[in-house]
Amino acid sequence: MALYHRIHSAADNVCWRMYNSDAAYKWNKDACLQKVIADAVTKVNQPALSAVFASKYGVSAPVVLAAARTR
């Protein structure tokens, strides 16, 4: 899915900038990518994208709770 690849690329860029050395980046890369991608997938809220994320990381798809409407 093209959207997943764009999100992954952006997440990699974000994670790379969070750490000040190659060693720190390599040590934290997987956890950082999973967190950043999960946040983006949750905000997009597309079942197909959530399924791709879940299959890549072997986790349950992120869940978005519907907000109650106010009058």
Side-chain angles (χ1 to χ4, degrees):
M1 173 174 249
L3 179 56
Y4 179 83
H5 291 295
R6 290 195 304 265
I7 290 171
H8 186 280
S9 179
D12 193 45
N13 192 357
V14 167
C15 291
W16 172 252
R17 293 170 186 263
M18 287 179 63
Y19 300 100
N20 59 2
S21 72
D22 286 339
Y25 170 71
K26 289 176 185 175
W27 183 260
N28 296 290
K29 177 183 176 183
D30 293 336
C32 181
L33 284 176
Q34 185 171 350
K35 170 73 171 117
V36 173
I37 293 170
D39 289 349
V41 167
T42 300
K43 286 179 184 172
V44 172
N45 193 21
Q46 277 187 0
L49 182 61
S50 295
V52 171
F53 171 78
S55 71
K56 297 281 186 186
Y57 284 95
V59 297
S60 298
V63 175
V64 176
L65 300 176
R69 287 184 148 180
T70 57
R71 293 182 189 209

